[in-house]
Amino acid sequence: MKKKMIYLDNAATSYPKPQCVIKEFLDTLKNAGGNPARSSHTLSLKATEKIYSARESIAGMFGTYKEENVVFTYNATTAINMALKSYLKPGDHVITSDIEHNAVIRPLEALRRSKGISCSCFDSSEDAEQEIARLLTPQTTCIVSTLASNVTGKTVDLSSLSKAAKKHGLYLILDAAQSAGHHLIDLSVTDFDVLCAPAHKGLFGIQGCGFAIFKENERKESFIEGGSGYESASKEMPLTLPEGYEAGTPATGAIAALGAGVRLVNSIGIERIQKKLETLNERAIEIIKSVKGSIVYPSDSGIVSFNISGIPSNGVAYLLNKRGICVRDGLHCAPSAHKKLGTISSGTVRVSFSYFNKMKDIDLLYKALKEISDNR
Ligand code: ALA
């Protein structure tokens, strides 16, 4: 009989996908297979409707109620690149957190080289509003920050970021890769400019899809150029959203599936999801701490990072995989967070949960870790 797999790598990609997401994806391929917003035949119109409905669900979840300001991208990384490269001007100074993912670190480094952008990091263990005030320069135009670390799940307070952005007249670009679907984010009470998120994590969508929610209705610099099925006689991208930032045929099936995932999260309720993740976290921390030789780092939001002394993180992940348990090891594309944690040379083993994990999964993790530790 096939051995059951325990999936604890939901911060990378949530799995398995709920039936409603799979059903919506298949329905789009089967029954809405035209190119959206291009032709006027039934299959194209159905594809357009699917995309509109996903925009509506996302706008509703984040409290923007302006579906046209939801721009679809390939993933959160593309959304972050789009925001930073459209909003920043030569010589600008940016304030960011000390726990960012390479999705923020690398575009900022590229912008340093191409546009002379400079950057300062705030200490995410301190109050973000005070930290931002401390780092402000006359050239500061923008704050870009994660809302939760993908290494530890540690959160950065959205209202402090929002207050700082408002007080100092700065753009606020948010990386909600680990927060979307896990934490309540109400943009109607937030002074923000762009929120970026992927489909395939807490919103239960599939890979190759993400989105940016813009506060403004008009695009700044265009990020990608091409056909949008709109203002086709012009050589330039439209100024309006979402067309201004969406070029080429979108991933209609993935976008429709994301819409289904968002509606599912809404029907379960973010508070309930957050509570479940907190319970799983507490239990996981407790059992991992009880394994001989374990070092557990402060963790939150459905993510626990740890090491087992004497075994490299990739060794632990390998041994867990042999026992049917999927986790992620190493640096998780987030070197700053590991520098802060003191694990830049070793990395960590990361377990990350979704709403659909069960306490039983943690019991099996304990059994496997105990065995691995006892055989060191
Ligand atoms: N950014 C994803 C992770 O944390 C892929 O694993």
Side-chain angles (χ1 to χ4, degrees):
M1 203 175 69
K2 215 172 133 199
K3 203 167 139 201
K4 191 175 172 325
M5 202 177 262
I6 308 293
Y7 188 80
L8 301 178
D9 195 17
N10 292 281
T13 288
S14 57
Y15 177 88
K17 297 304 176 192
Q19 270 313 309
C20 63
V21 168
I22 297 170
K23 196 164 157 244
E24 183 63 27
F25 182 65
L26 293 178
D27 183 61
T28 307
L29 297 193
K30 283 185 194 156
N31 302 316
N35 199 316
R38 303 305 198 265
S39 317
S40 46
H41 58 76
T42 307
L43 290 178
S44 174
L45 296 176
K46 280 193 171 166
T48 309
E49 270 169 33
K50 293 269 188 198
I51 290 187
Y52 184 81
S53 154
R55 274 194 228 281
E56 220 174 22
S57 301
I58 293 168
M61 166 176 271
F62 292 94
T64 63
Y65 302 104
K66 286 201 282 185
E67 49 277 357
E68 65 272 21
N69 289 24
V70 177
V71 167
F72 289 112
T73 60
Y74 305 124
N75 43 43
T77 299
T78 318
I80 294 165
N81 269 268
M82 181 182 278
L84 290 173
K85 291 173 184 173
S86 306
Y87 276 58
L88 295 179
K89 297 261 179 304
D92 282 352
H93 173 250
V94 177
I95 300 177
T96 189
S97 88
D98 58 358
I99 50 171
E100 295 302 315
H101 187 277
N102 276 339
V104 168
I105 295 173
R106 288 183 172 173
L108 285 179
E109 173 57 19
L111 284 164
R112 184 183 71 78
R113 288 166 187 267
S114 65
K115 287 191 181 175
I117 304 288
S118 59
C119 176
S120 306
C121 289
F122 68 84
D123 184 345
S124 57
S125 314
E126 302 293 331
D127 176 71
E129 199 184 343
Q130 282 178 16
E131 279 289 284
I132 289 161
R134 178 177 71 78
L135 295 168
L136 216 56
T137 76
Q139 283 71 42
T140 311
T141 57
C142 178
I143 305 166
V144 52
S145 179
T146 186
L147 291 178
S149 160
N150 68 318
V151 176
T152 60
K154 191 179 168 339
T155 55
V156 178
D157 182 45
L158 177 56
S159 78
S160 296
L161 291 170
S162 169
K163 276 187 212 151
K166 184 170 185 176
K167 188 165 171 193
H168 306 295
L170 306 175
Y171 293 133
L172 177 58
I173 299 174
L174 301 165
D175 173 3
Q178 301 299 336
S179 290
H182 287 180
H183 298 127
L184 201 60
I185 300 172
D186 183 358
L187 295 179
S188 71
V189 294
T190 303
D191 230 274
F192 84 108
D193 287 277
V194 194
L195 175 131
C196 308
H200 62 102
K201 299 187 182 187
L203 299 174
F204 300 116
I206 64 179
Q207 296 169 357
C209 181
F211 59 91
I213 303 178
F214 287 85
K215 186 174 179 184
E216 282 193 356
N217 294 54
E218 206 169 274
R219 76 160 166 79
K220 300 220 179 293
E221 287 297 313
S222 68
F223 172 71
I224 183 168
E225 295 81 23
S228 58
Y230 191 74
E231 291 182 357
S232 296
S234 170
K235 277 191 173 176
E236 283 184 43
M237 287 299 286
L239 273 177
T240 50
L241 264 61
E243 305 84 14
Y245 287 117
E246 287 181 354
T249 300
T252 307
I255 292 170
L258 165 62
V262 168
R263 291 187 287 277
L264 174 71
V265 168
N266 273 337
S267 72
I268 300 169
I270 298 264
E271 276 103 349
R272 199 161 142 202
I273 293 175
Q274 200 170 339
K275 187 96 207 86
K276 171 93 185 262
L277 293 174
E278 275 166 20
T279 311
L280 291 166
N281 248 66
E282 276 168 26
R283 177 79 184 131
I285 290 172
E286 188 185 313
I287 70 101
I288 302 170
K289 274 190 174 161
S290 75
V291 171
K292 219 158 70 193
S294 69
I295 308 146
V296 183
Y297 303 95
S299 302
D300 203 351
S301 320
I303 294 179
V304 183
S305 251
F306 67 96
N307 274 309
I308 304 281
S309 72
I311 317 180
S313 63
N314 61 356
V316 175
Y318 170 80
L319 293 168
L320 285 173
N321 188 46
K322 272 181 68 173
R323 288 161 174 80
I325 300 180
C326 308
V327 301
R328 186 173 171 192
D329 60 278
L331 294 182
H332 313 95
C333 305
S336 311
H338 279 282
K339 268 186 205 141
K340 189 176 171 75
L341 219 53
T343 51
I344 190 70
S345 53
S346 61
T348 57
V349 186
R350 181 190 71 183
V351 296
S352 52
F353 304 109
S354 95
Y355 178 74
F356 297 109
N357 279 115
K358 300 194 164 42
M359 282 298 178
K360 199 174 70 197
D361 298 339
I362 301 181
D363 295 342
L364 293 168
L365 172 70
Y366 172 70
K367 213 174 139 223
L369 284 177
K370 189 169 176 318
E371 218 174 87
I372 291 167
S373 166
D374 290 348
N375 290 329
R376 269 179 302 167

